[in-house]
Amino acid sequence: MTTLVNLTIDGRTVRAPAGSYVLQVAREAGIEIPTLCDHPALEPVGACRLCLVEVTHPDWKGWSGLMTSCLYPVEEGIQVSTSSARVRDARRQVLTLLAARCPSSAAIRKLAEQHGCDTTLLQVDPNADNCIVCGLCTRVCESYATAAITTVSRGATKAVGSFEAQPPEECVGCGACAQVCPTDNIPASRTGADFRIWQRTFPTFVATVDPKRCTACGSCEEACPFAVARVVFAAAGHHVASIPAEQCRGCGACVGACPSGAIDQKTYEWKAMLEPVPSFSQGGAS
Amino acid sequence: MHPDLTKVDEILNRYPRDESSLVMVLQDIQSQFRFLPCEALEKVADDLAIPRSRIFSVATFYKAFSLSPRGRVVVQVCKGTACHVRGAQLLEDEFCRQLALKVGGTSADGSFTLETVNCVGACAMAPVVVMGEKYHREVKAGQVPRLIKNAQKAGADKAESRSAPPLPEYRLSSAAEVHHRNRMAVDTRKALAGRVQVCGGTGCMAAGAKDVHDALCKAAEAKGLPFRVELSPCQHPSKQYLLSLNGCQGLCQKGPLVHLMPEDVLYTHVKSADADAIVDAIANGTRVDRLLGDHQGRSDDPFYQGQLLKVLEHCGKVDPESLDDYMAHGGFAGLAKALSSMTPEQVLDAVDQSGLRGRGGAGFPTARKWRTALKASKKTGTPTYVLCNGDEGDPGAFMDRSVAEGCPYQVIEGMILGAFALGAKQGYIYVRNEYPLAVARLQLALAACRKVGLLGDRILGSDLSFDIRISRGGGAFVCGESTALMRSIEGKVGEPRAKYVRSAERGLYDSPTVLNNVETWALVPGIVEHGPTWLNSIGTDRSKGTKVFCLVGQVQRTGLVEVPMGATLRHLVFGLGGGPPEGRKFKAVQTGGPSGGCIPEHMLDLPVDFDKLTEVGSMMGSGGLIVMDDRTCMVDVARYFVDFLMGESCGKCTPCRLGLPQLSFLLGKVTRGEAKEADLKAIEEIAVGMGENSLCGLGKSAPNPVLSTLRYFREEYEAHLRGSCPAGVCRNLIRYEITDDCIGCLLCIKACPNQAITGEKKQKHVLDQTKCDKCGVCKSVCNHASIAVLPGGAS
Ligand SMILES: Cc1cc2nc3c(=O)[nH]c(=O)nc-3n(C[C@H](O)[C@H](O)[C@H](O)COP(=O)(O)O)c2cc1C
Ligand code: SF4
Ligand code: SF4
Ligand code: SF4
Ligand code: FES
Ligand code: FES
Ligand code: FES
C-alpha cells in the first residue's frame, strides 16, 4: 500500500503518494513547470535544469534549496514554490544559455522570449545546430529501440552520435528519436517509400487490414507494440480492426499475430510518417 | 592495416567478462595499439555484450583514449595549476611551435603526439613535461628544442621497470600471529646497523632516484659494505644496512633525497655519481657535507618544523613494497586489535569519537556516512561496498598519490577495518590513470595481503571475508565526484546524478556504498590502534586531527606537509614554505583546487580547517595550496580554472556545459583588454547562476575561483579593462623589453623564434616589438635577467 504525504505547491495543499516526483505531482495538480529533458515514458535524469523549484520545510530552520523537480521525491510537509524569484532566475539562466547555444531553434527562442532572456553579451554562433543535449533521443532509443545512438564526448563538445560516427547499423528506422527531440534537431525525411534517418534509408511498410477476412478478434491490438492497431466499431454493429497508415511503424508484429491472415504489409507511399506516436506516453517506463 | 585481434582476446581474458571491466579493457587496448581501433571496439562490444554505441560513448568520454593512432613519443605538457603559475602556457606554445603541432595532434611521420595533461602529481617540480614515460622537471621554454632532439634520438623513453619483489612466504592466521610478526620485524630492523632510504616518490624518481638507488647498490657491492634490500633475519645484522626505495619524504623540490637512519642525515640533490662518496662516508662513520645543504637532517630543517605526521607517519620511512617493513612499523596491529578484541560497533564508535571528517574535500563526518550505509545494508540485506577515492583530480595536489605510493598497506588496512565495521565483502580502490606507480604499488600490496591472509576468506581466522579490486580511472576530473566515480567503476560514462538518495544508501550497483578518500582511510588504522584521542586531541573544535597539504607554486620550499588542523596559512606558506622565492611579494594562495578560491594576504592568519575556508569563499578541497606571487595574474588564474573545468565538465547539465564556455569567452575578453564593466557583471551573473543551478558539485563550485578573485582582486580586473595586466601575464597587455643589464651575449637572438631581436656581441640587444609574439623564450634563456616584462602592451 502506498502511503500518501501532504505537501504544498505554491501554497496549495496537495496529497501525493510518497516517492512520486514533485514535477509529476505538480502537473497532476494542474501546476505547470517548464521542462526540456523530461518525458513521461522515460526515467528522469535531471539534465536540462529547467524544472528547478524552490523547496523548504518547517523543520529546515528557514533554509530553502533549489531542487530538480523531475527527480525530487515528495516528502511529508515540504513546501514547494514554482515561481519564486530564485526559480525564475534559474529558468532565465538556463534558457539564456540555451538560446545562445542554438539561436536557430524556434522552440528555444520562444521559451527564451517568454522568460525575458538576453544574450547580447554572450557568444552566439549563428551556425550552430539545435541540440540541447537533453538526451531524450538516446534514452528513447536505448529504452525502446536498439541503442543505436549515444552521447559522444563530454563537456561543451558533448553531442549525439553513433558508433565511430558511422550510419548506425543497429538503427531500425523507427523514427522515435526524431520525434521526441524538442528542438527538431534530428533530420528525418521521407521520399516515396524511403524513410531516411541517420544517413540510412529504410523501406517502410504499413499494415493494411482486409475487412472481409477480419473477425475483430483483437489479436493485432494486443500484438501492436505501438498501440496503433485497434478494433473499432464499423457499421451496423460490426467491428473491424483499424490500422491508421500514418501511425503504423511498420514493425509487422500484427501480420504474424492475425489468426485469419487478414493483415498484409504494403509499401507506404503517400504521407509523411512523422506524426505523433500516441503510444509513447502510454508505454510508461518500468 | 587490421589490428591483431588475438591481442584483444588476451586483454579481455585479464578481466571478468562484464561491463565493469570496460574502462580497463579499453586502457589496455589503448596501450597495446596506441589508440582504439574500430575492430577492437567491435570485438569488445561482442564479448562483453555491450551495445557498440555505449562503448563509443565511453571511448570518447575519457581523455585517456584516442580514436586515431598516437605518435611513438607522447609529449604531455602538464597544465595543472602549479605548472600553470610557473609558466606552463609558454611551454605548451613552444612545443606547438617546435613540433609544428596543435595540442592533440600527431606528426605526419608518427613520431610525436602533443598533449596537455591536468597534473601528473609532480607539482613540486613544476613546470613538468612527460615525454614517453619519463618526467622532466622545471622545464624552461628555451630547453624545448633539446628535449625534442633527445627524445627523437632515444625513441620512447621507457620508465624504469623493476622486477616485482617476491611475495611473502608465510600465512597469518590469527591476531596473535600478527603481533608476533610485528615484534619479529621490529627486532630485525632494530638489529641492523642502519638504513639508507632513497626517496622513490614521483618527484625524486623524476629527478633520477632510481639511478641513485642502483648506483648505491653497486658502490656498496664494490666496496664490500653489506647492503640488503629485504627486511629478513640475517647473520651479523649489526653490520648490515637496509637499502630501500621509499615513498615521498615531502621535500620533493630538493630531490633525489637520500635519508640515513638512525643518524637522521638527509642528503639532497643526490646524483648517481655521489654514490661512492655516500657509501664511503657510511663505512667511515662520516658525512658528505656537500650534499647536506643548509641542514643536517629532517630534525633541523625548517621545512619539517611545525609538522605533525599522522597520515604521513610512515611515508618515506617504510619500504612501500615490503609488507614486513610495514609490520616493523606496527602495521596491521590495528586490524589485529579489532579482529581479536573489538566488535564492529566499537570500531564505528572509535571512528565516531575521533571526530574524523572526510579528507576528500567536503569534510563530511566519516562515522555518520558509515552508519547510514550500515542501516541501509541491514534494512535491505545487501552488503555494503567499501570504496577508496584515489582520483585526486585537483591539479596541484599530490597527497593521495604520495600516500598510495609511499604506504599502500596503510590505506588497505584502513579499508579492511572499514569492511569489518560495515560488514562489507568487496572493496574498490579507484586510482587515477595518471598515477601508474601508485597502481603498481597498490597492486603489489594487495597481492601480498592476499597471500598472507590479510585479504580473502576468513581474514586472520575471523568471520570477516573481504577483498579489494583496483579500478583505474580514464582521465576525467568529474569521476572524483562520488556518483560519477561509482558509474565509472561500473564501466559507464562518468556522469553524476542528483543525490536525493544518498549513495551511502544506494550507490555502486544500487547497493549501500561507503566512499572515502585515501587520506581518510589512511587515518583509520591509527584511530583503531591507539584510540580516538590519537586524532581528537589535535586540531580545532570541529576539525580534528591533521591535514596533509601540497605546498606548491611560487614558494621557496615546495612539497608535501602535514600540520594540525587550525594551523594558519601564514605558517604553511611562510613558516614551512619560506614564502615566495627571490624576495617576491606574496599575492594569494589558492586552496581547494578548481572548486576552491584565492585567498589574499590579509587573510593569511586564517586558521585552516573545513569550516573556516568555506566561510571565506574557498574550501579545503583535497589539500592543494598553490602559492602565487606578484607574477601571477588573478584574471588569468580565474580563466585558467574555467578552461580547466570546461574540459572536464561531463556535459550533462545545461548551466555547467554552456555556462563555462561563456565564462571562458568573457574572461578571454578581459585578458585581451577588450572587456567593459558590463562584461564583469555578466561574468558575475553567470557564475552565481551556475553555482545555484548546476547538477553536481563540479558545476556548483566552478564559480568559486571566479567569484573569489572578483571579490578580493577586483582592482586587477579593472586594470585589465583599462588595458594593463599588472602581473605581466596577459599577452595582449604586456611587452618584453631588454634592460641595460644586457651584456650582449647573443643567446636570446639565437633563441627567438620570430627573429625579433637583433644586436652585436657585447652590445645591448634590441627587441622589435612588431615582431615579438611574447613567447617568452628570450627571457627563459637569458642568464643575466636582462629581459623585463612590462605591463601595458607594445609601446
Ligand atoms: C567535481 C568533484 C571532484 C572530486 N574529486 C575528488 C577527488 O579527486 N578525490 C576525493 O577524494 N574526493 C573528491 N571529491 C569528493 C568526493 O565526491 C567525495 O565527497 C569524497 O571522496 C568522500 O570521501 P571523504 O568523505 O573521505 O572525503 C570530488 C567531488 C567533486 C564534486
Ligand atoms: S530511428 Fe534509429 S536511432 Fe532513432 S530511436 Fe529508432 S532505432 Fe534509435
Ligand atoms: S538531438 Fe534532440 S533529443 Fe537528442 S539530445 Fe539533442 S536536443 Fe535532445
Ligand atoms: S555540473 Fe557539470 S559535471 Fe556536474 S553534472 Fe552538470 S555538466 Fe556534469
Ligand atoms: S526536466 Fe528536470 S532537469 Fe530537465
Ligand atoms: S604536476 Fe603540474 S600541476 Fe601537478
Ligand atoms: S618525491 Fe621525494 S620527497 Fe617527494
Side-chain angles (χ1 to χ4, degrees):
Chain A
M1 222 203 72
T2 42
T3 43
L4 292 179
V5 297
N6 298 293
L7 63 150
T8 68
I9 306 181
D10 293 342
R12 265 172 61 192
T13 306
V14 184
R15 276 162 76 79
S20 50
Y21 297 126
V22 167
L23 173 64
Q24 186 187 333
V25 173
R27 285 198 168 148
E28 270 154 32
I31 297 167
E32 248 330 289
I33 297 173
T35 62
L36 279 167
C37 71
D38 181 73
H39 193 289
L42 296 169
E43 285 286 344
V45 291
C48 75
R49 320 302 296 156
L50 191 56
C51 72
L52 291 177
V53 293
E54 194 167 351
V55 180
T56 184
H57 190 283
D59 294 349
W60 292 357
K61 301 176 190 146
W63 185 86
S64 70
L66 282 181
M67 302 293 174
T68 324
S69 67
C70 64
L71 279 172
Y72 194 78
V74 293
E75 289 164 58
E76 182 64 41
I78 55 168
Q79 300 165 351
V80 178
S81 163
T82 71
S83 58
S84 66
R86 241 173 120 188
V87 171
R88 277 178 285 134
D89 281 350
R91 286 181 195 160
R92 185 152 32 80
Q93 169 171 58
V94 168
L95 289 167
T96 307
L97 291 171
L98 288 175
R101 166 65 180 75
C102 12
S104 39
S105 162
I108 297 295
R109 200 178 325 122
K110 191 168 147 216
L111 275 168
E113 271 164 21
Q114 282 168 3
H115 288 81
C117 301
D118 174 10
T119 58
T120 33
L121 285 174
L122 303 188
Q123 187 175 35
V124 181
D125 173 7
N127 300 319
D129 68 5
N130 288 338
C131 180
I132 58 166
V133 199
C134 66
L136 282 173
C137 55
T138 59
R139 283 184 285 144
V140 85
C141 188
E142 196 168 334
S143 310
Y144 293 95
T146 55
I149 51 172
T150 180
T151 56
V152 179
S153 183
R154 70 184 189 201
T157 55
K158 194 166 205 140
V160 168
S162 53
F163 183 74
E164 297 275 351
Q166 298 295 315
E169 272 169 35
E170 296 87 345
C171 176
V172 294
C174 69
C177 53
Q179 202 188 318
V180 288
C181 178
T183 57
D184 289 329
N185 188 53
I186 300 180
S189 63
R190 170 180 297 287
T191 29
D194 290 342
F195 177 60
R196 270 187 73 75
I197 190 162
W198 294 108
Q199 300 160 38
R200 291 196 51 204
T201 305
F202 299 89
T204 38
F205 299 94
V206 291
T208 48
V209 183
D210 177 354
K212 288 200 205 80
R213 287 207 201 166
C214 175
T215 61
C217 68
S219 304
C220 55
E221 194 174 310
E222 238 167 71
C224 179
F226 300 99
V228 173
R230 285 266 158 80
V231 176
V232 296
F233 183 70
H238 195 68
H239 283 76
V240 73
S242 145
I243 303 177
E246 68 281 8
Q247 289 177 7
C248 173
R249 308 265 104 190
C251 69
C254 55
V255 180
C258 178
S260 39
I263 308 182
D264 195 8
Q265 278 189 314
K266 276 199 207 142
T267 314
Y268 179 88
E269 287 178 347
W270 27 270
K271 214 176 149 203
M273 193 168 151
L274 292 175
E275 293 293 313
V277 189
S279 63
F280 257 126
S281 41
Q282 290 156 22
S286 48
Chain B
M1 199 191 70
H2 288 287
D4 179 1
L5 289 182
T6 56
K7 290 273 188 307
V8 179
D9 263 325
E10 272 167 38
I11 290 169
L12 281 161
N13 284 336
R14 290 176 204 161
Y15 303 97
R17 299 242 160 173
D18 57 48
E19 194 165 357
S20 70
S21 309
L22 180 59
V23 176
M24 282 179 284
V25 166
L26 294 185
Q27 262 158 348
D28 290 2
I29 294 177
Q30 171 81 41
S31 39
Q32 177 74 41
F33 299 100
R34 287 189 272 138
F35 77 117
L36 300 178
C38 176
E39 293 86 344
L41 292 183
E42 291 192 302
K43 175 146 184 55
V44 174
D46 275 352
D47 274 45
L48 299 183
I50 307 173
R52 296 190 311 164
S53 63
R54 197 175 305 156
I55 296 205
F56 195 62
S57 184
V58 169
T60 52
F61 182 87
Y62 293 102
K63 218 176 150 184
F65 305 131
S66 64
L67 295 172
S68 52
R70 278 189 179 146
R72 285 183 291 282
V73 179
V74 178
V75 179
Q76 294 177 308
V77 181
C78 177
K79 297 289 296 289
T81 324
C83 293
H84 179 78
V85 301
R86 286 202 188 168
Q89 185 61 49
L90 297 179
L91 276 184
E92 177 192 330
D93 296 343
E94 195 51 21
F95 269 105
C96 284
R97 190 203 318 260
Q98 295 288 346
L99 291 170
L101 287 176
K102 281 204 186 95
V103 171
T106 300
S107 42
D109 63 354
S111 52
F112 288 99
T113 292
L114 179 61
E115 289 177 354
T116 57
V117 57
N118 294 325
C119 189
V120 294
C123 326
M125 282 80 53
V128 178
V129 175
V130 186
M131 296 179 87
E133 290 174 12
K134 198 163 164 140
Y135 292 68
H136 299 275
R137 53 191 280 166
E138 293 171 66
V139 180
K140 294 196 183 74
Q143 300 170 340
V144 170
R146 189 172 51 80
L147 286 178
I148 293 176
K149 210 182 279 159
N150 288 351
Q152 230 153 8
K153 252 192 298 184
D157 285 315
K158 279 271 167 261
E160 303 86 355
S161 62
R162 209 147 62 105
S163 52
L167 294 179
E169 287 297 338
Y170 52 91
R171 245 191 116 69
L172 298 169
S173 45
S174 69
E177 284 181 37
V178 172
H179 290 311
H180 177 70
R181 195 87 207 168
N182 283 140
R183 267 195 311 272
M184 219 169 80
V186 172
D187 290 345
T188 316
R189 200 178 154 109
K190 270 209 196 114
L192 293 168
R195 300 186 300 280
V196 181
Q197 301 168 332
V198 182
C199 177
T202 299
C204 291
M205 290 289 250
K210 180 67 177 69
D211 294 341
V212 171
H213 175 268
D214 294 350
L216 281 170
C217 262
K218 237 194 248 148
E221 203 178 324
K223 293 176 191 291
L225 191 73
F227 269 14
R228 6 185 340 103
V229 291
E230 237 180 283
L231 186 73
S232 53
C234 54
Q235 289 193 325
H236 314 300
S238 62
K239 295 208 176 68
Q240 308 247 8
Y241 290 82
L242 183 71
L243 173 72
S244 57
L245 200 54
N246 289 4
C248 177
Q249 308 241 12
L251 199 53
C252 319
Q253 190 189 26
K254 297 200 179 157
L257 302 177
V258 175
H259 191 213
L260 305 184
M261 284 299 276
E263 304 89 329
D264 184 27
V265 171
L266 187 65
Y267 293 135
T268 57
H269 298 299
V270 181
K271 296 192 189 56
S272 325
D274 300 323
D276 282 339
I278 292 178
V279 171
D280 284 341
I282 294 175
N284 304 333
T286 55
R287 324 204 139 145
V288 189
D289 289 332
R290 68 188 157 87
L291 295 175
L292 281 175
D294 306 336
H295 311 284
Q296 280 277 325
R298 284 170 71 136
S299 55
D300 71 337
D301 191 318
F303 184 76
Y304 293 101
Q305 304 309 307
Q307 288 202 48
L308 182 64
L309 306 184
K310 296 269 170 191
V311 175
L312 301 177
E313 193 178 351
H314 307 308
C315 200
K317 301 192 188 97
V318 307
D319 178 349
E321 298 188 352
S322 161
L323 175 59
D324 269 333
D325 205 14
Y326 182 56
M327 297 290 248
H329 288 81
F332 290 102
L335 180 66
K337 178 180 172 192
L339 289 184
S340 61
S341 64
M342 291 170 86
T343 62
E345 189 52 37
Q346 283 170 327
V347 171
L348 234 164
D349 284 341
V351 173
D352 202 349
Q353 286 155 21
S354 75
L356 179 62
R357 292 172 69 177
R359 290 335 195 218
F364 192 83
T366 304
R368 202 190 308 162
K369 192 189 292 185
W370 290 18
R371 286 198 203 282
T372 308
L374 195 62
K375 215 168 110 197
S377 168
K378 284 204 172 122
K379 199 167 132 201
T380 57
T382 17
T384 302
Y385 284 107
V386 168
L387 268 45
C388 173
N389 191 342
D391 194 50
E392 191 154 70
D394 288 6
F398 56 95
M399 49 274 133
D400 293 349
R401 156 177 222 160
S402 300
V403 175
E405 284 176 5
C407 200
Y409 289 101
Q410 195 177 337
V411 181
I412 294 169
E413 186 182 354
M415 289 180 73
I416 306 176
L417 284 164
F420 175 64
L422 295 159
K425 303 226 165 321
Q426 183 64 50
Y428 288 86
I429 306 180
Y430 189 89
V431 193
R432 89 190 264 253
N433 183 46
E434 290 83 348
Y435 289 0
L437 187 61
V439 171
R441 292 208 172 135
L442 282 164
Q443 240 146 10
L444 191 72
L446 289 175
C449 286
R450 256 177 235 129
K451 182 83 195 295
V452 303
L454 287 164
L455 281 175
D457 283 341
R458 302 185 47 87
I459 294 170
L460 297 181
S462 71
D463 290 336
L464 175 65
S465 296
F466 175 69
D467 208 339
I468 299 176
R469 268 171 74 174
I470 289 185
S471 190
R472 272 183 290 152
F477 172 72
V478 70
C479 286
E481 196 276 344
S482 52
T483 58
L485 181 142
M486 291 169 203
R487 293 189 57 97
S488 181
I489 293 182
E490 291 170 7
K492 299 192 176 112
V493 156
E495 283 180 0
R497 63 164 175 81
K499 287 198 264 193
Y500 299 136
V501 180
R502 275 168 296 183
S503 42
E505 290 172 52
R506 195 134 52 80
L508 187 65
Y509 298 114
D510 286 334
S511 303
T513 304
V514 162
L515 171 72
N516 280 120
N517 168 262
V518 170
E519 211 183 311
T520 316
W521 285 121
L523 283 165
V524 174
I527 294 170
V528 173
E529 190 188 348
H530 307 293
T533 48
W534 182 73
L535 199 76
N536 69 18
S537 56
I538 327 161
T540 60
D541 207 17
R542 298 193 50 238
S543 301
K544 296 296 178 197
T546 56
K547 179 76 192 87
V548 183
F549 290 100
C550 289
L551 193 56
V552 294
Q554 287 151 338
V555 59
Q556 288 188 43
R557 291 184 285 270
T558 54
L560 190 70
V561 299
E562 182 172 359
V563 293
M565 291 273 189
T568 63
L569 285 169
R570 192 180 298 283
H571 173 64
L572 283 157
V573 174
F574 287 90
L576 305 181
E582 301 154 29
R584 287 275 172 177
K585 194 170 153 27
F586 171 89
K587 187 186 268 182
V589 53
Q590 206 276 346
T591 74
S595 322
C598 295
I599 299 172
E601 166 137 45
H602 73 264
M603 291 186 166
L604 269 184
D605 291 309
L606 193 79
V608 275
D609 67 14
F610 290 111
D611 311 303
K612 285 284 185 311
L613 284 175
T614 312
E615 272 166 35
V616 299
S618 182
M619 63 183 263
M620 182 78 94
S622 43
L625 286 181
I626 296 137
V627 181
M628 301 172 181
D629 65 21
D630 54 359
R631 286 167 296 178
T632 305
C633 166
M634 301 317 277
V635 183
D636 175 72
V637 165
R639 182 178 180 200
Y640 162 79
F641 280 114
V642 164
D643 285 351
F644 170 88
L645 290 167
M646 190 163 77
E648 295 298 333
S649 155
C650 83
K652 176 173 174 176
C653 76
T654 313
C656 175
R657 182 183 71 250
L658 301 180
L660 286 166
Q662 295 292 359
L663 283 180
S664 172
F665 166 74
L666 291 167
L667 287 167
K669 275 173 79 175
V670 180
T671 58
R672 290 191 306 274
E674 294 161 8
K676 306 233 163 5
E677 189 62 40
D679 293 299
L680 295 192
K681 256 189 86 191
I683 289 172
E684 210 156 355
E685 205 171 299
I686 296 175
V688 170
M690 280 184 63
E692 282 268 284
N693 308 332
S694 295
L695 172 65
C696 86
L698 188 152
K700 278 189 204 294
S701 60
N704 287 349
V706 177
L707 293 176
S708 70
T709 49
L710 264 171
R711 179 159 147 204
Y712 299 124
F713 300 94
R714 193 164 187 109
E715 71 289 350
E716 236 179 289
Y717 279 82
E718 279 157 4
H720 284 72
L721 301 190
R722 294 189 303 269
S724 155
C725 174
V729 172
C730 298
R731 286 194 177 189
N732 291 43
L733 310 180
I734 56 166
R735 61 182 195 279
Y736 283 79
E737 264 179 24
I738 297 175
T739 67
D740 291 340
D741 296 336
C742 172
I743 60 152
C745 70
L746 304 178
L747 261 183
C748 57
I749 298 187
K750 281 190 212 125
C752 174
N754 298 309
Q755 285 85 45
I757 308 177
T758 48
E760 300 296 322
K761 206 167 166 70
K762 297 202 174 152
Q763 279 173 27
K764 185 182 162 189
H765 297 343
V766 183
L767 195 156
D768 179 351
Q769 295 293 343
T770 58
K771 287 191 182 157
C772 172
D773 76 350
K774 295 154 192 169
C775 69
V777 169
C778 54
K779 191 169 154 64
S780 83
V781 297
C782 178
N783 292 322
H784 298 273
S786 312
I787 297 184
V789 184
L790 302 174
S795 58

